[in-house]
Amino acid sequence: MKLHPLSIPVRAVSRAVGVAWAFIFAGFAFAGGDPVLLSGVVVLVVLVLAALAGYEVAYYRRFDYELTDDSLDIASGVFSRREREIPLRRVQNVDVTRSFVARLLGIAVVDVETAGGGGTEANLRFVGGEEADRLQEAIREKRAALQREESAEAASEEAEAAEPTAGGETLFELSDRDLLLYGALSFDPRLASGVVALATFLAPTFGDRVSLSGLGVAAVVGLAVVAALGLWAASAVARIVQFYGFRLRRVGDDLRYERGLLSRRDGTIPLSKLQTVAVEENVLMRRWGFASLAVETAGYAPGSQPSGGSEAAIPIAPREDVLSLARTLEPFHDFEVERPPERARKRYVRRYLLAGLAVVAAGVAVDQFLASVPWYAAGVLLLLAWPAARLSHRHRGYELGPDHVVTQGGFWNRSTRIVPYRRIQTVIRRQTVFQRRWRLATVIFDTAGSRSISAGDAAALDRDEDDADDVAVTVRDRVLDVVYEREHDDGTTD
């Protein structure tokens, strides 16, 4: 089968916009007012755009895909031919994304992710909207059929009873009120990097006109408050646009989510590959009794947020409702985590004092050699070291349950992660040179989830050395017991 014919102009325009602007900027920057040079730039731009259009036509003609009973076969390549056969057994997720323009044109992007792929295995950009829905549903059904065939324990009548209805069961819908609440109570720290970049760009222009030392501490604090409010408002708008119309359904053994205002995203989360359930609460959510639910699957962590990496199964809901839904996905026990020893809190105090002194020293250096700034305002960070250490200590801990290990960490965004013993692949006891001075160690519980790339695995942080040894040995024994029981039940061992 071929991509949608509209993929040619849409792909060509998306590529051409950036290229044309680059050439135009370079032309006016280096050609100045010389009409001959400007004409040459215009001719070059036209030739490049024609080449891009030709490339997209060739890409369309040489791109073919076919969905068979056990694989998705793709042949592509303009200059070199590439043929891929993606086994449906390995498919973890099929995402369908519709941008605002794509919805107007009736087309969509289909991304196919596989276990251990480390990225998108197949990208169909673009296919028709109905074709995207057909592919998503057909791949899910064929993958489920293959899994049922491989399961020796599944009886035929049980398989028929487990066949999902067309619409599935709706588990959660985000109302307009909750969407506004989610925007108000969440903050995307990535926006701060954009503000820093913008300030760096504008500093040479306005640096000579504005003197921070002349503004005074109150004015600087006022500017910081205004900037923080602006970031909060921008983050709220971004969250609202991203999670508009969020709905979570259970279709067979998969979770199906839909979200997005300008760009509509429709994807699946395979429960059979679920590795970790995470209850996440930033400081504002905790204050008002709300939380988010995120899940991690083997080899793939779809989408983004609330913390980056894995997909939000519930963006925001009362904490008890989040825990209730989490238990329907992965039944776990009631837990109460054990905090690190008291000397860990003393270590945090010293860490934050050193960080505060580093900021003060940097401010003094800037004031002496670059620009006059009220560096002494950073001294408040030294006073905050003690309460910051207490809060860090209070929000860290772990518990070993009968079937799961529970870890907790983070103050600004506290994450409580529930990991089944059957999903743990490696138990790591880690001790840094700084922990060694305080006789502390960390135990990491590694799973096949890919979220660890950005957020780290579940870990019992800053435990007493002896306690860390006991935790590592206990979890390893329980993991081995689970493996033995599974092999014994499968009849692979005597």
Side-chain angles (χ1 to χ4, degrees), residues 346-365:
K346 298 178 180 179
R347 176 181 176 238
Y348 303 155
V349 172
R350 294 194 180 184
R351 175 196 298 174
Y352 295 137
L353 282 175
L354 291 175
L357 288 173
V359 173
V360 172
V364 172

Side-chain angles (χ1 to χ4, degrees), residues 320-332:
E320 293 304 319
D321 294 345
V322 169
L323 289 172
S324 297
L325 179 57
R327 286 190 169 93
T328 66
L329 307 180
E330 176 62 45
F332 54 87

